[in-house]
Amino acid sequence: MKGEYQDLNNNDNANIENNKNGAKAPSSNFMKFFCVGFFVLVILGIGINAIVIFVALKKPSPPEFQVKNAHVAKFDVYNPDPNDTVSVLSTDLMFSLDAANKNLIVGLQFENMLLDTSWDEVDAHLGETNVQNFVQKNKGVTTLKVNTQGEMEIPLKSVKVEDMSLDLQLSGQLHYFIGPLKTKTYAFMVFCDNLFVTNVNTHCRTEIFSDGELPPPPEHKSKRAQAPGEAPSPSDEEDVEASSPADSFPPVRLILKDDAVIVDNGLLAVTIAKPGGFVTGIKYNGMDNILDEQNPADDRGYIMMRGVSGLYSYGIFERENWPSLNLANARLAFKLQRQKFKYMVISDTRKREMPVPEDRIPPKAEQLAYPEAMKLIDPQNPDFKGEVDDKYQYSMESQDIKVHGWICKDPPTGFWQITPSYEFRSGGPNKQFLTSHVGPSTLAMFVSAHYSGDDLVPRFEEREPWKHVYGPVFMYVNNVTKDQDFGTLWDDAKKRMEAEVKNWPYRFPASQDFPKAYKRVNVTGRFFVHDKYVTDDKVPAQNAFIGLGPPGDAGSWQKDCKRYQFWTRTDDEGFFNITFVRVGTYDVFGWVNGYIGDFKHDAPSLNITVGKNVDLGDLIYNPPRDGPTLWEIGIPDRTAKEFHIPDPKPEYVNKLYVNHTDRFRQYGLWERYGELYPDDDMVYDVSKHNFKKDWFFAQVTRKIGERYNGTTWQVQFNLDNVVDNGVYKLRLALAAATNSFLEVRFNEPKPSPAMFNTGTIGDCNSVARHGIHGLYWLYNVDVQGNLLKRGDNTLYLTQTKGSGPFQGIMYDYLRFEGPSTSAM
Ligand SMILES: *[C@@H]1O[C@H](CO)[C@@H](O)[C@H](O)[C@H]1NC(C)=O
Ligand SMILES: *[C@@H]1O[C@H](CO)[C@@H](O)[C@H](O)[C@H]1NC(C)=O
Ligand SMILES: *[C@@H]1O[C@H](CO)[C@@H](O)[C@H](O)[C@H]1NC(C)=O
Ligand SMILES: *[C@@H]1O[C@H](CO)[C@@H](O)[C@H](O)[C@H]1NC(C)=O
Ligand SMILES: *[C@@H]1O[C@H](CO)[C@@H](O)[C@H](O)[C@H]1NC(C)=O
Ligand SMILES: *[C@@H]1O[C@H](CO)[C@@H](O)[C@H](O)[C@H]1NC(C)=O
Ligand SMILES: *[C@@H]1O[C@H](CO)[C@@H](O)[C@H](O)[C@H]1NC(C)=O
């Protein structure tokens, strides 16, 4: 009888929420979320050693079980840069383990197997593979094939393949069926030392631990395997110190329990539930668990390193032949101890004492227009009485979400989510995501439809293959003494974030799906903008956005949610470096503050290949422009924040945003439109009004009884002269749209037919979510001169739809251009 089990990775469910209709998507059959370094620890370069000690279980004689064969399929060292002293060790190891079961009636099941390979010569840890549920039938030989793949830098110039010898360690648990309803479980370990690339049938030893007996000290010249001299206690846990670490930091220890794995590096101890892989506990700074124990958790993988006060995590989402799927939401979520972590910091100017989750539960609070927004009536801390709490008030643009989290004041402790790069997040630099909020929750968001709508929900056809690495992200914990200012925890977290950014791309992920620095390239160039009605010549685009995204039309990057994007900002001279771009095919995109529209480099898509940095030279953006500016409203910056943003109603205040640059984050501002304009809609005269004071930031609906109506805004302007057969241009740049239908008329109000309409657009919900923008839209509307007249003119902007309070449009910028001067 011969079974085969190949290419085994730990299959865990990704943390996927399908928010549509509130339904939870069944995740197990379509998503593969594995994290190398899952139960793990051992990272090359800092020489972490780990020792696993196994539960000693009771009684009878174990079945005969023997590894006969270990085979190394590929093991290679190459030198990508001959001038560099660092080589790359590339492994694709296939181990075939023949297990012989001589027992006539007994079948075996192997569980929780962890294959760990290392190379002592260079203190290398080559990878580990988690294997679940390998069943061996009675009487026969079963071949278990296990792959580990990995790449890592090693400080050697060249290595002869024949000099490389590997150690292999397979640990796991063996179920031994002793009757139809009875099983026994034994921990086992297999040691294969000094494996050479070509050899088979090597010296492997099998240890099966029963009756509380400890594994004898393996005769292993490896530093990694030293057993304690002491017999273990009969308890179900025991940890073992690894031998003299090279570093000054304590080693990472792994403690196996029936339902959990504890990873402890001396600074913090993280409990990861088994099976499933979610973090249920983090012990730090004298607190047994800084995580909230009342909350369910999701699946994910983690990496812990020696001497590092925190935990790295990343997920690889992969699908092949699965049914179609919409992935509405992907993230990592941590909930901290609610009575401990009460001070939240998401930026230098956005930090405050926060309510506790109980404060949000009626009757202590009252729900406002949607469940996320609660008015606090009887909060634990009376200072919050009457305030609004809403997690959307703490969202942020992707480019800015680098560090945020919580502070516990006693003992003074910080918990921070650090994201050094947003290359893996959907939607590019301006996509907004949630950060931290009452819970106390800290999120690492990867995919969401917030501030964008369905356009940013990855959709997969049946059998559409996809693979995407989210992360690694870093959960950092820090502390100060009680006599120090707790605010320094935030300063330290920022410093740590900067250090993590410098370390990007990380060297430690063992997965080949996360390319290391030497496999990425830099793209440089200089970005100019030339609006011929503003300057005669091109000028450097300053602080402009320039980036690489999947091939597509100009602006398509803001709706991309399946691929990687790489963005940067130009310096004062327009120069840019887009660093560490992954291999792939990209178009070059950009947008420039102060100019409308989207830049796309007019050239064949860029094929990024390893070892070839790209210099794009001078790129010139010619923003849409046909004639001179007759009038303009606002600043083309893709937001509505320069317009009139009213004070919140006194009963809807979040004190953080009083007297704050982000006053648009207050709850309920949409309702103020009807108060400011109780009878007639906004009328804006370009010659006497000031958009900062007189242009309401959102063209929302008007409430009439229990119904809502669309609204019509008027822009009044005067023309000294009209070219009857000339073509004028209306540039309508929108910063957000939600279920809107915008009609444009000149001088003839409704019901005359609209000269232009947008159709139904938008799903970003940025009005309700206090975003000052969602997705960007630009309409370029031709206006025949004969629609205009000398003297007073009126532009009517009618948003026709009226079904709810959050509906409407945020304008970014409007410009009216005369006919091209060359045509005059
Ligand atoms: C290595 O160094 C030599 C001499 O400085 C230089 O000519 C060559 O281009 C370098 N090779 C690489 C791959 O950088
Ligand atoms: C507090 O932080 C320091 C580093 O600033 C660290 O050495 C120490 O171990 C931390 N204390 C605890 C209790 O984890
Ligand atoms: C890309 O630029 C970064 C930052 O300047 C540098 O560290 C890295 O070595 C460069 N990569 C290549 C392939 O030139
Ligand atoms: C780009 O990289 C070069 C070389 O590292 C550096 O001199 C320059 O300042 C960088 N420019 C920007 C805009 O980051
Ligand atoms: C990149 O590759 C694609 C497909 O292989 C090809 O069509 C395109 O011309 C290439 N672009 C460049 C700049 O070579
Ligand atoms: C608001 O901010 C201004 C300037 O930053 C400051 O002078 C003023 O005291 C602040 N008012 C309140 C009530 O915080
Ligand atoms: C509201 O909209 C309805 C339907 O378009 C219209 O009949 C009604 O007159 C509007 N009400 C007001 C006050 O504008």
Side-chain angles (χ1 to χ4, degrees):
M1 225 161 288
K2 188 160 177 143
E4 213 171 75
Y5 201 78
Q6 209 162 353
D7 195 10
L8 300 152
N9 288 308
N10 187 27
N11 283 11
D12 284 298
N13 303 337
N15 169 15
I16 298 153
E17 252 181 51
N18 191 339
N19 275 354
K20 275 250 122 146
N21 311 322
K24 274 257 183 194
S27 52
S28 55
N29 43 2
F30 55 73
M31 269 299 161
K32 194 170 170 188
F33 179 100
F34 79 84
C35 255
V36 182
F38 184 38
F39 285 114
V40 188
L41 16 129
V42 197
I43 310 297
L44 170 72
I46 42 173
I48 291 169
N49 295 298
I51 278 209
V52 180
I53 236 217
F54 285 93
V55 180
L57 291 148
K58 284 159 223 160
K59 317 253 156 52
S61 56
E64 204 171 324
F65 163 64
Q66 208 178 7
V67 172
K68 287 197 163 167
N69 192 321
H71 180 70
V72 182
K74 182 193 165 204
F75 189 38
D76 202 8
V77 175
Y78 66 95
N79 201 320
D81 177 356
N83 296 345
D84 197 339
T85 53
V86 173
S87 296
V88 174
L89 175 62
S90 168
T91 53
D92 181 355
L93 308 175
M94 160 89 89
F95 295 98
S96 307
L97 303 168
D98 280 2
N101 178 17
K102 292 185 179 160
N103 199 312
L104 273 173
I105 49 164
V106 177
L108 305 177
Q109 185 173 350
F110 299 82
E111 285 197 335
N112 299 329
M113 279 183 279
L114 188 67
L115 177 77
D116 186 5
T117 54
S118 61
W119 181 23
D120 283 345
E121 186 75 17
V122 291
D123 202 12
H125 168 71
L126 303 179
E128 57 286 317
T129 302
N130 192 263
V131 185
Q132 289 295 339
N133 303 335
F134 171 57
V135 180
Q136 184 181 17
K137 300 273 169 52
N138 57 315
K139 186 77 179 161
V141 177
T142 305
T143 301
L144 171 66
K145 288 186 179 176
V146 185
N147 276 4
T148 66
Q149 295 181 335
E151 289 213 334
M152 66 188 63
E153 292 175 8
I154 56 170
L156 289 184
K157 217 163 161 58
S158 62
V159 183
K160 286 199 215 111
V161 168
E162 55 272 28
D163 290 344
M164 301 190 289
S165 96
L166 296 182
D167 293 342
L168 171 158
Q169 190 174 312
L170 177 73
S171 58
Q173 284 168 314
L174 188 61
H175 284 308
Y176 166 29
F177 304 94
I178 55 171
L181 298 171
K182 274 180 141 182
T183 60
K184 291 284 170 196
T185 303
Y186 302 95
F188 70 88
M189 285 178 110
V190 177
F191 304 94
C192 304
D193 299 341
N194 296 325
L195 284 174
F196 292 97
V197 170
T198 48
N199 77 332
V200 285
N201 295 329
T202 188
H203 350 274
C204 295
R205 258 176 330 108
T206 307
E207 307 277 350
I208 298 179
F209 308 119
S210 57
D211 290 335
E213 263 180 57
L214 245 207
E219 304 139 13
H220 207 277
K221 61 180 168 59
S222 159
K223 290 174 279 182
R224 66 177 37 246
Q226 281 195 4
E230 285 289 302
S233 70
S235 77
D236 69 348
E237 68 173 288
E238 192 65 34
D239 62 77
V240 182
E241 174 109 4
S243 64
S244 56
D247 281 354
S248 56
F249 290 111
V252 178
R253 297 178 306 171
L254 187 70
I255 303 159
L256 291 189
K257 291 183 160 194
D258 280 351
D259 57 351
V261 176
I262 298 168
V263 196
D264 185 343
N265 71 357
L267 291 166
L268 71 166
V270 176
T271 305
I272 300 168
K274 235 178 29 174
F278 44 87
V279 168
T280 54
I282 297 179
K283 182 175 178 178
Y284 180 70
N285 201 17
M287 287 182 276
D288 280 348
N289 192 359
I290 64 177
L291 298 184
D292 190 339
E293 282 153 351
Q294 299 175 33
N295 278 288
D298 293 291
D299 301 348
R300 58 199 64 125
Y302 306 92
I303 304 166
M304 195 183 223
M305 295 204 276
R306 170 183 278 188
V308 172
S309 181
L311 188 68
Y312 292 91
S313 178
Y314 66 108
I316 301 173
F317 283 34
E318 185 174 12
R319 49 170 281 132
E320 285 160 15
N321 292 321
W322 288 300
S324 60
L325 163 81
N326 296 344
L327 176 65
N329 200 320
R331 61 176 198 199
L332 262 178
F334 283 85
K335 283 215 175 177
L336 306 172
Q337 280 272 14
R338 56 189 75 193
Q339 292 306 339
K340 289 281 184 188
F341 290 84
K342 292 186 173 174
Y343 191 85
M344 189 178 91
V345 189
I346 63 174
S347 81
D348 283 338
T349 56
R350 298 167 74 187
K351 49 188 174 187
R352 61 166 293 167
E353 301 282 347
M354 292 290 282
V356 291
E358 289 79 4
D359 293 346
R360 291 177 47 90
I361 298 169
K364 287 175 173 291
E366 177 193 313
Q367 185 187 316
L368 298 173
Y370 44 86
E372 292 91 337
M374 300 297 290
K375 184 177 160 69
L376 309 179
I377 294 163
D378 181 22
Q380 204 178 75
N381 179 342
D383 288 351
F384 306 146
K385 196 173 163 71
E387 280 200 68
V388 171
D389 178 67
D390 179 353
K391 65 182 175 183
Y392 294 107
Q393 295 181 320
Y394 305 107
S395 54
M396 215 186 271
E397 280 195 359
S398 197
Q399 60 171 342
D400 299 322
I401 307 177
K402 291 179 180 162
V403 54
H404 58 92
W406 290 84
I407 289 173
C408 161
K409 290 185 184 170
D410 184 18
T413 306
F415 182 94
W416 309 103
Q417 205 286 290
I418 292 179
T419 312
S421 164
Y422 58 90
E423 64 182 37
F424 43 80
R425 285 202 203 113
S426 55
N430 309 114
K431 168 78 172 71
Q432 294 160 93
F433 292 97
L434 294 172
T435 58
S436 292
H437 60 268
V438 167
S441 292
T442 289
L443 307 177
M445 294 294 310
F446 301 134
V447 175
S448 86
H450 296 145
Y451 307 96
S452 61
D454 278 0
D455 282 333
L456 269 124
V457 173
R459 276 165 218 294
F460 300 96
E461 306 295 323
E462 192 172 335
R463 294 172 177 273
E464 179 182 338
W466 181 63
K467 190 192 259 186
H468 199 84
V469 180
Y470 290 108
V473 296
F474 181 45
M475 265 59 65
Y476 176 58
V477 289
N478 60 2
N479 73 86
V480 288
T481 55
K482 277 187 189 154
D483 47 355
Q484 284 173 290
D485 172 10
F486 70 86
T488 59
L489 290 165
W490 165 246
D491 300 330
D492 174 63
K494 278 195 297 182
K495 274 202 205 105
R496 183 63 192 223
M497 176 273 284
E498 279 156 19
E500 297 293 323
V501 169
K502 286 211 183 78
N503 265 334
W504 188 269
Y506 292 134
R507 297 159 80 106
F508 56 79
S511 170
Q512 284 192 325
D513 294 321
F514 182 79
K516 310 299 177 297
Y518 69 88
K519 280 198 170 171
R520 297 168 175 239
V521 311
N522 295 339
V523 177
T524 54
R526 195 174 180 192
F527 193 21
F528 294 90
V529 61
H530 186 208
D531 179 337
K532 58 182 184 289
Y533 281 89
V534 176
T535 53
D536 289 341
D537 206 355
K538 62 182 199 283
V539 293
Q542 299 182 337
N543 203 26
F545 289 84
I546 187 93
L548 304 180
D553 296 335
S556 56
W557 54 270
Q558 68 168 349
K559 294 184 180 176
D560 156 59
C561 48
K562 289 183 183 172
R563 300 269 306 266
Y564 303 97
Q565 295 191 29
F566 299 87
W567 286 85
T568 191
R569 306 290 287 269
T570 55
D571 68 11
D572 287 350
E573 301 286 297
F575 288 104
F576 62 85
N577 299 330
I578 306 171
T579 52
F580 302 118
V581 178
R582 298 171 67 120
V583 166
T585 300
Y586 302 90
D587 279 343
V588 182
F589 300 109
W591 72 272
V592 189
N593 233 315
Y595 299 86
I596 56 172
D598 270 288
F599 170 75
K600 180 188 168 186
H601 183 35
D602 184 17
S605 296
L606 205 57
N607 298 317
I608 298 290
T609 52
V610 173
K612 287 196 186 127
N613 287 344
V614 178
D615 185 359
L616 292 167
D618 288 358
L619 305 178
I620 301 168
Y621 177 45
N622 299 296
R625 167 73 86 171
D626 290 343
T629 300
L630 299 180
W631 52 262
E632 60 186 341
I633 299 170
I635 298 166
D637 62 355
R638 302 192 172 211
T639 81
K641 67 172 182 280
E642 67 271 30
F643 296 125
H644 173 60
I645 295 162
D647 286 333
K649 286 186 180 175
E651 66 264 35
Y652 290 156
V653 168
N654 177 331
K655 284 184 198 148
L656 174 62
Y657 297 114
V658 174
N659 211 11
H660 192 281
T661 50
D662 289 1
R663 43 191 289 118
F664 57 84
R665 299 189 193 276
Q666 295 283 10
Y667 174 87
L669 302 183
W670 56 88
E671 288 182 11
R672 309 241 70 177
Y673 178 75
E675 294 165 19
L676 268 171
Y677 302 94
D679 304 314
D680 301 313
D681 285 328
M682 191 187 84
V683 178
Y684 185 91
D685 184 331
V686 299
S687 65
K688 52 176 209 248
H689 287 136
N690 174 348
F691 63 78
K692 292 180 183 167
K693 296 203 319 271
D694 304 313
W695 185 275
F696 197 78
F697 77 102
Q699 184 172 4
V700 287
T701 50
R702 174 185 299 286
K703 193 171 185 198
I704 300 167
E706 288 310 304
R707 298 181 41 229
Y708 293 88
N709 262 26
T711 52
T712 297
W713 285 8
Q714 297 176 39
V715 178
Q716 297 179 338
F717 58 98
N718 186 282
L719 297 176
D720 294 341
N721 182 28
V722 174
V723 185
D724 272 354
N725 59 355
V727 179
Y728 291 69
K729 206 90 174 191
L730 176 66
R731 309 284 181 189
L732 269 178
L734 310 185
T738 301
N739 189 17
S740 297
F741 190 105
L742 184 63
E743 292 179 346
V744 175
R745 293 176 178 80
F746 280 89
N747 294 325
E748 298 289 337
K750 228 175 166 171
S752 80
M755 58 143 328
F756 172 81
N757 74 65
T758 60
T760 300
I761 54 168
D763 184 20
C764 71
N765 227 354
S766 298
V767 169
R769 311 275 203 237
H770 338 289
I772 197 64
H773 74 89
L775 298 181
Y776 176 73
W777 312 73
L778 176 66
Y779 293 97
N780 303 296
V781 184
D782 282 350
V783 183
Q784 299 302 322
N786 61 13
L787 292 175
L788 304 167
K789 45 189 195 186
R790 263 181 86 168
D792 292 338
N793 288 270
T794 304
L795 160 65
Y796 296 94
L797 296 166
T798 302
Q799 196 292 104
T800 63
K801 291 168 91 86
S803 56
F806 316 123
Q807 204 165 17
I809 282 172
M810 288 186 207
Y811 295 89
D812 166 32
Y813 171 77
L814 298 91
R815 183 168 74 213
F816 196 54
E817 295 171 12
S820 126
T821 40
S822 55
M824 277 177 87

